[in-house]
Every structure is written in structure tokens, then in C-alpha cells.
Amino acid sequence: MTGPSTADRLAAAYALAERLTAEWRRVEVLDRYDDLGADTRRTGLLAEVLARNGVVVIVPCTPQSVTAVRDRHAASGTRYVEVRVDERDTPERTAATMHGLLAGHG
């Protein structure tokens, strides 16, 4: 998830994680803000490895940092969906839209 507002990205990521967890899906939110010094390439690698092993990985990051995650998934052929969190939508609405896409309803 990318977008201009950190709060909106994080809220949407955790709202989506809650929806997926309620469906007994394995979910991990890689919140770089827990570790401000985190290397974006390392985050991309971790996201790709988890996704390859059946975990739905949500990475809320700045548009500048998303390249590492995108490149990692493209190189391995791992499924990947990128969503821009728009300030006009609420985080809950963004989570609902993403949930629909992941569930095949969007």
C-alpha cells in the first residue's frame, strides 16, 4: 500500500489485516515504521519470501520505497497487488476495496 499519508496507509493495512485474519488467512503487516532504519530491500525480500509461502503480506510504504518490494516480487514471479491509499477514501473503505480484490469480488 502506498500513498501520501502514513496514518492512512497504516490504518488501511491493519484494517485489511483484521478482515483477512477473521477469515483464518495467514497475514503479516510489515510496518517499516517499527524500525525506521529498515532497509527497503530487506523489507522487499521478507515480503516476497512470506508471500511465496502463502502468507498475505501487507507493506504500507511510501511511494519512493515501494520499488524494492515491487522489484523483488517481479523478479521471483510472486503474486503482487499494489494499491495507492487515496486521502479521499477512508482507511476502512480502502481495506474493503482491497479485501474485495483479494477475495475475487472486485
Side-chain angles (χ1 to χ4, degrees):
M1 294 185 157
T2 66
S5 169
T6 301
D8 287 346
R9 284 193 311 267
L10 293 175
Y14 284 104
L16 177 58
E18 284 181 26
R19 285 173 175 256
L20 295 171
T21 300
E23 296 174 349
W24 300 96
R25 304 277 302 266
R26 294 184 317 164
V27 180
E28 187 67 41
V29 177
L30 298 182
D31 180 356
R32 283 193 59 234
Y33 297 98
D34 285 343
D35 179 6
L36 293 176
D39 180 351
T40 56
R41 291 175 303 214
R42 186 177 72 206
T43 302
L45 172 63
L46 183 55
E48 188 266 325
V49 169
L50 289 168
R52 208 172 3 136
N53 286 283
V55 177
V56 175
V57 183
I58 305 168
V59 184
C61 56
T62 65
Q64 298 82 6
S65 299
V66 76
T67 302
V69 177
R70 183 187 304 134
D71 291 349
R72 189 73 207 184
H73 280 69
S76 69
T78 305
R79 290 182 350 172
Y80 167 78
V81 176
E82 183 176 324
V83 173
R84 178 173 170 76
V85 177
D86 191 333
E87 291 176 328
R88 292 174 291 176
D89 275 340
T90 66
E92 294 79 17
R93 184 173 169 98
T94 299
T97 300
M98 271 304 298
H99 182 258
L101 289 171
L102 292 172
H105 304 294

